[in-house]
Amino acid sequence: MNTADLGLPVEVPSTALFTDQYELTMLQAALAGGTAERRSVFEVFTRRLPDGRRYGVVAGTGRVLDAVENFRFDADVLGFLRENGIVDEPTLEWLAGYRFGGDIWGYPEGEVYFPGSPVLRVEGSFAECVLLETVILSILNHDSAIAAAASRMSSAAGERPLIEMGARRTHELAAVAAARAAYVGGFATTSDLAAGFRYGIPTVGTSAHAFTLVHDRERDAFQTQVNSLGRGTTLLVDTYDVQEAVRTAVEVAGPELGAVRIDSGDLLLVAHRVRQQLDELGAVKTKIIVTSDLDEYAIASLAAAPVDAYGVGTQLVTGSGHPTSSMVYKLVARAESADPEAPLEPVAKKSSGGKTSLGGRKWAARRLDRYGVAEAEVIGTGAVPAELADRQLLVELVKGGRVLAREALDVVRGRHAAARANLPLSAMQLSRGEPVIPTEYV
C-alpha cells in the first residue's frame, strides 16, 4: 500500500522543494556558463563529532534513497518556481526532465563513522548532484543525530528494552523519522503509529494520566483498562499515591498484571520500593517501566534499579543535546570540461576558521588490531593498500540512477549492533572524550 494515497503526513510525492533556493540559482548559472555537465564528485562528512561523543552513527540512508527517487519537478512545483521568479525558463525546462542518473556510494546504514569519514559520495554531472545537497543533509544530519543518541542510550540500558515515545516533543514528520533512527540505534519499540505503519517498527502504548483522572476513582480506571486490554496491560501508578496505586493495581489485575509504569519522582528509590511491594503482593513477574525525561545518563544511573524497560522522549528526539550531526556536502573533485572522458581533478575549499576540506575522491577503510577491534579509520584518495582491501567501508547504493541497496530496517539495526561491538570498550563510556579511534589520511 502506498501511504501517500491515504493522505497521511508520513511521506510526500516530491522532495524537489526540500532544498535551498541557491541550489537552483547555482544550477541556472551553471547551465548558462557551460559548467553544468562537468562530471563531479560530492562527499558528505563531518569535520568533528559533537562535543564529547566518541563515535557517530550513520542513519537515514534508506530515506535518502527514497528522497533521491522522489526528487521530481512536477507541474505544480514548476509553476511555483515560475510564478515566484526563482529561475529562468531554460532552467525550468531542464528541471522538468530532471532524474538523478549518477552514482551514490556510502557507508551502509547503521555503520559507525568518525571525523572525516566520507559517509556518502554522490557522483554525476555538477547539475544533477548539486540539487541534492540540502535534502541529503537534512535527512542525514537529523537521523544520524537521533541514532547516535539512541545508541548511547541502548548501550547504557544493556539488555533492558527501550521505548521511543517522543512524538509529542517534535514536528509530526520528524517524529516518524526519529522513531526510525531510534530503532536503528537500538530502541525496541515506538509509541508513534505513523512510524509503525511506515516502517514496520513494533508499537506499544496503554494509557496516560488523563485516563485515570477522567474516572471517579483510580480503581475504576484500572478496572476499566484491565477489562478492555487484559491482565497483561501496563498500569500507570503515579497519578496520586504510588504505594496505594500498586496495591490497587494488583488487587484489580491479580499477580498476572503485565507491568506498572512510573513517570515521576526519584525513579531509583521508587523503583526499589515498587519492586519490593509487587513481590510482597505476589506479583513477582510484573515488570516495572520507567519514563520521565530520561537520557543516557539517567538510564545509566538506574542500572542497579529493578527496572525492566525505559521510555524515552524529549532527550531522544532532540539528539540528547546534539540535534544535528554537523555533516556537510562538499565538492571534492570535478572534470575540467563537460567531456565525459575528461579526468577528475581534486578541488577543496581553503579558508581560515577550521572549515577547510580535503580534495579528491576518497575511499575509507577501518583497520583492526590483532584482536579484531577497530583501531583506526583510514581515508585515502589513491590506491587502497592491500592490507585494507577487504576492510573498505563504502558500498554502492545507486548506479546510473537506479537504487541498488534497499534494506530491511532490522538488517540495519543488526548492523549497528555489530559495528558498535567492534569498537574499543571505551566507546561505551558516557564521560566526555575524543573519538574512540583516530582518523588517518594516506
Side-chain angles (χ1 to χ4, degrees), residues 364-380:
R366 190 160 299 144
R367 190 173 69 239
L368 308 180
D369 65 17
R370 57 177 177 158
Y371 301 106
V373 177
E375 67 174 10
E377 192 89 339
V378 185
I379 298 170

Side-chain angles (χ1 to χ4, degrees), residues 83-341:
E83 290 166 11
N84 288 276
I86 305 299
V87 290
D88 60 18
E89 283 299 323
T91 305
L92 290 171
E93 291 177 11
W94 189 93
L95 291 172
Y98 178 83
R99 299 291 186 274
F100 178 72
D103 303 333
I104 300 178
W105 291 70
Y107 280 38
E109 190 167 14
E111 184 57 85
V112 297
Y113 70 88
F114 299 92
S117 296
V119 299
L120 201 74
R121 189 174 72 220
V122 182
E123 305 183 26
S125 70
F126 175 80
E128 65 183 336
C129 294
V130 75
L131 290 180
L132 299 177
E133 174 182 7
T134 302
V135 70
I136 286 176
L137 287 180
S138 68
I139 292 171
L140 292 181
N141 268 316
H142 173 270
D143 289 23
S144 295
I146 305 305
S151 179
R152 285 162 59 86
M153 292 173 187
S154 65
S155 176
E159 298 300 315
R160 298 171 178 175
L162 290 158
I163 307 163
E164 185 282 314
M165 47 194 300
R168 65 190 62 191
R169 298 291 189 246
T170 188
H171 185 279
E172 68 272 18
L173 296 183
V176 182
R180 182 187 184 280
Y183 192 68
V184 170
F187 275 58
T189 54
T190 180
S191 66
D192 190 84
L193 290 178
F197 176 73
R198 179 72 178 85
Y199 297 115
I201 302 169
T203 60
V204 295
T206 51
S207 68
H209 292 103
F211 184 76
T212 300
L213 293 168
V214 78
H215 290 81
D216 295 334
R217 299 185 305 163
E218 189 170 49
R219 178 181 293 273
D220 296 338
F222 289 173
Q223 188 66 66
T224 300
Q225 184 174 327
V226 169
N227 289 346
S228 177
L229 302 178
R231 297 179 185 274
T233 191
T234 299
L235 296 177
L236 182 58
V237 295
D238 73 327
T239 305
Y240 304 117
D241 179 85
V242 172
Q243 185 176 9
E244 178 64 20
V246 170
R247 183 185 64 78
T248 302
V250 176
E251 287 178 359
V252 168
E256 299 84 9
L257 176 61
V260 295
R261 178 162 75 95
I262 306 167
D263 188 50
S264 59
D266 183 336
L267 297 179
L268 179 62
L269 176 62
V270 175
H272 277 287
R273 288 178 174 173
V274 168
R275 181 73 270 160
Q276 180 179 355
Q277 186 180 7
L278 287 170
D279 292 346
E280 290 173 351
L281 293 170
V284 295
K285 294 184 178 180
T286 299
K287 298 183 182 301
I288 297 175
I289 300 170
V290 296
T291 52
S292 185
D293 292 327
L294 299 177
D295 61 10
E296 60 265 49
Y297 302 102
I299 291 168
S301 73
L302 292 168
V307 171
D308 298 287
Y310 306 93
V312 189
T314 303
Q315 292 301 320
L316 175 67
V317 299
T318 57
S320 195
H322 298 288
T324 179
S325 303
S326 298
M327 292 180 182
V328 294
Y329 183 97
K330 296 298 182 184
L331 180 67
V332 296
R334 50 87 173 163
E336 62 182 10
S337 72
D339 183 346
E341 301 303 318

